[in-house]
Amino acid sequence: MLSELEGLTLGLLSKHGPCTAYSIRQMLKEAPSSHWRASAGSIYPLLARLEKDRLIEGEDDPADGRARKVLKLSVAGRKKLKSWIKHGSDADLIAQLFDPVRNRIFFMEVLGKQEQLRLAQEILCGMEEHLHFAHQNLKDRDRDADMFDYLGATGAVLACEARIKFMKQVVKELERQS
Amino acid sequence: MLSELEGLTLGLLSKHGPCTAYSIRQMLKEAPSSHWRASAGSIYPLLARLEKDRLIEGEDDPADGRARKVLKLSVAGRKKLKSWIKHGSDADLIAQLFDPVRNRIFFMEVLGKQEQLRLAQEILCGMEEHLHFAHQNLKDRDRDADMFDYLGATGAVLACEARIKFMKQVVKELERQS
DNA sequence: CGATGCATGTAAGCTGTTACATGATTGC
DNA sequence: GCAATCATGTAACAGCTTACATGCATCG
């Protein structure tokens, strides 16, 4: 129905009120652990599509000389957003956890022993850095102001920690072998 | 350089010896928590691309009347695979953990209180089922036969558990509110 | 007054999807 | 013999990316 990026866009519009295309793009870019580059070439055609389908409504801001449009979610858009969220319990979505690092670990045997250990340590290091970032992000949220935002950030931290635990096992196993 | 699917394909060819396009497709489909549908329309053009770039080599199986090609990794292919694996430590790859369920949780406020709780419980239930599947998958692996396969499956279990922990927090928070 | 950032967009290309088509083989 | 599965592909399309283009605004 809606693509992932479309759903996220409607969600952001629902959460952060009427806003411009540019600010939506910024939010997508700054989102922690985002899969998306949120390039201009994706956002603007996407918004045009959503507007054509009457899921969002755009209005030229008269208080501003610059040509910018303020976008907001329509009633139909909110309905579609709800339906998109409800599909979160679909089995194929639950199974769809994409981890490019783990994908690579599977085939690490083709590297030399030393390379294996060095790479695993590098990844672990990078992940710890990323965990720090996720923690920072969590701290910036107000649990009472926006519970789901807070919970989502918590989820990001938990995911980070799980990956670190995983990589520690990899490193340990590689060290054991040498 | 290589797309994710191309990397996975080279990896599978490296691990599971010379094999046919069809069996690669099956492996991609059956992979636990796969992001890919591994449709025919992706695999066959992809393999043609890899062969054109001399990363894999195909040979018609003379022992088989059916028109099927046995594919194997070339030397250049193994080199490219190594480079693909080594990029696992890139910061943008480490940050790129894609979770469509968490994406939806962020915007769950647009649903009614009852809907929120019901959905969260449904997701939790689905994830526990998926954990069971991941556990099963882990049991089928032999640690000594293929360490990285075993480690990868362990990583999948850890990721599952982290998501369940997350969803339990969501449910708990929602129950606290009602 | 020039650099940087804000803001909007387009064009071409890549990678994946669904849906369709074909034929051979195996199991009941 | 017929259905299911093996096995290989193609065509049309969707969605995102990079790279480019444009122009206004703000700050030094």
Side-chain angles (χ1 to χ4, degrees):
Chain A
M1 202 88 95
L2 285 178
S3 76
E4 199 68 17
L5 200 51
E6 283 169 344
L8 285 171
T9 302
L10 290 186
L12 286 172
L13 270 172
S14 142
K15 211 160 194 170
H16 303 292
C19 57
T20 66
Y22 188 81
S23 61
I24 288 171
R25 205 183 149 198
Q26 297 307 311
M27 286 188 272
L28 284 168
K29 270 193 205 167
E30 285 157 24
S33 63
S34 176
H35 182 70
W36 314 105
R37 314 236 167 197
S39 53
S42 63
I43 295 304
Y44 290 97
L46 183 150
L47 290 171
R49 223 154 56 218
L50 293 176
E51 194 171 3
K52 202 201 73 192
D53 294 342
R54 310 246 179 266
L55 301 179
I56 62 175
E57 287 157 8
E59 202 182 328
D60 291 314
D61 190 344
D64 196 331
R66 280 157 82 169
R68 62 184 208 174
K69 236 178 185 176
V70 177
L71 304 165
K72 64 173 189 181
L73 203 60
S74 73
V75 177
R78 188 167 299 272
K79 210 170 146 188
K80 261 274 200 287
L81 174 60
K82 282 184 188 177
S83 139
W84 179 75
I85 292 169
K86 283 182 185 166
H87 276 83
S89 59
D90 288 4
D92 58 329
L93 265 178
I94 286 173
Q96 212 183 103
L97 233 188
F98 175 71
D99 184 341
V101 174
R102 183 143 43 86
N103 281 344
R104 281 159 175 83
I105 300 292
F106 273 113
F107 309 115
M108 224 164 71
E109 61 192 352
V110 301
L111 301 181
K113 286 278 166 207
Q114 286 183 353
E115 279 180 316
Q116 287 175 8
L117 183 57
R118 203 170 53 82
L119 177 62
Q121 283 167 340
E122 249 179 63
I123 292 174
L124 181 56
C125 199
M127 282 183 176
E128 269 159 355
E129 212 170 297
H130 194 248
L131 173 64
H132 181 75
F133 171 72
H135 260 131
Q136 205 58 42
N137 192 277
L138 178 59
K139 250 191 251 169
D140 294 343
R141 318 258 163 165
D142 183 359
R143 183 186 195 132
D144 298 320
D146 188 338
M147 190 182 77
F148 292 110
D149 220 42
Y150 182 83
L151 285 170
T154 309
V157 168
L158 288 172
C160 257
E161 286 171 347
R163 286 173 105 202
I164 286 173
K165 199 169 161 188
F166 163 57
M167 282 312 299
K168 277 186 176 163
Q169 281 193 19
V170 174
V171 168
K172 193 177 144 197
E173 200 66 23
L174 287 172
E175 278 171 345
R176 199 178 59 83
Q177 287 201 342
S178 51
Chain B
M1 201 87 94
L2 285 178
S3 78
E4 200 68 15
L5 200 52
E6 284 168 344
L8 286 172
T9 301
L10 291 187
L12 286 172
L13 271 173
S14 140
K15 212 163 194 168
H16 302 292
C19 58
T20 65
Y22 188 80
S23 62
I24 289 171
R25 205 183 148 197
Q26 296 307 311
M27 286 188 272
L28 283 168
K29 269 193 203 166
E30 284 157 24
S33 64
S34 175
H35 181 69
W36 313 104
R37 314 238 168 197
S39 53
S42 65
I43 295 305
Y44 291 97
L46 182 150
L47 290 171
R49 223 153 57 219
L50 292 178
E51 195 172 1
K52 201 201 73 193
D53 294 343
R54 310 246 179 264
L55 302 179
I56 62 175
E57 288 157 8
E59 199 183 331
D60 291 315
D61 190 345
D64 196 332
R66 280 157 82 168
R68 62 186 208 172
K69 235 180 187 176
V70 177
L71 304 164
K72 65 172 188 180
L73 203 60
S74 73
V75 176
R78 187 167 299 271
K79 208 170 147 188
K80 263 272 201 287
L81 173 61
K82 282 184 188 178
S83 141
W84 179 75
I85 292 170
K86 282 182 184 166
H87 276 83
S89 59
D90 288 5
D92 57 330
L93 265 178
I94 287 174
Q96 213 182 102
L97 233 188
F98 175 69
D99 185 340
V101 174
R102 182 143 44 86
N103 280 344
R104 283 158 174 84
I105 300 292
F106 272 111
F107 308 116
M108 223 162 73
E109 63 192 351
V110 300
L111 301 181
K113 285 279 167 205
Q114 286 183 352
E115 279 180 316
Q116 287 174 9
L117 184 56
R118 203 170 52 83
L119 178 61
Q121 284 167 338
E122 248 177 63
I123 291 174
L124 182 54
C125 199
M127 282 183 176
E128 270 159 355
E129 212 169 300
H130 194 247
L131 174 63
H132 180 74
F133 170 73
H135 260 131
Q136 205 60 42
N137 192 275
L138 178 58
K139 251 190 250 169
D140 294 343
R141 318 257 163 167
D142 183 0
R143 186 188 193 130
D144 298 318
D146 188 339
M147 190 181 80
F148 292 111
D149 219 42
Y150 182 83
L151 284 169
T154 309
V157 168
L158 288 172
C160 256
E161 286 172 348
R163 286 171 105 202
I164 286 174
K165 198 170 162 187
F166 163 57
M167 282 312 300
K168 278 187 175 162
Q169 281 192 21
V170 173
V171 168
K172 192 178 146 196
E173 199 67 24
L174 287 171
E175 278 172 344
R176 201 180 59 83
Q177 287 201 343
S178 51

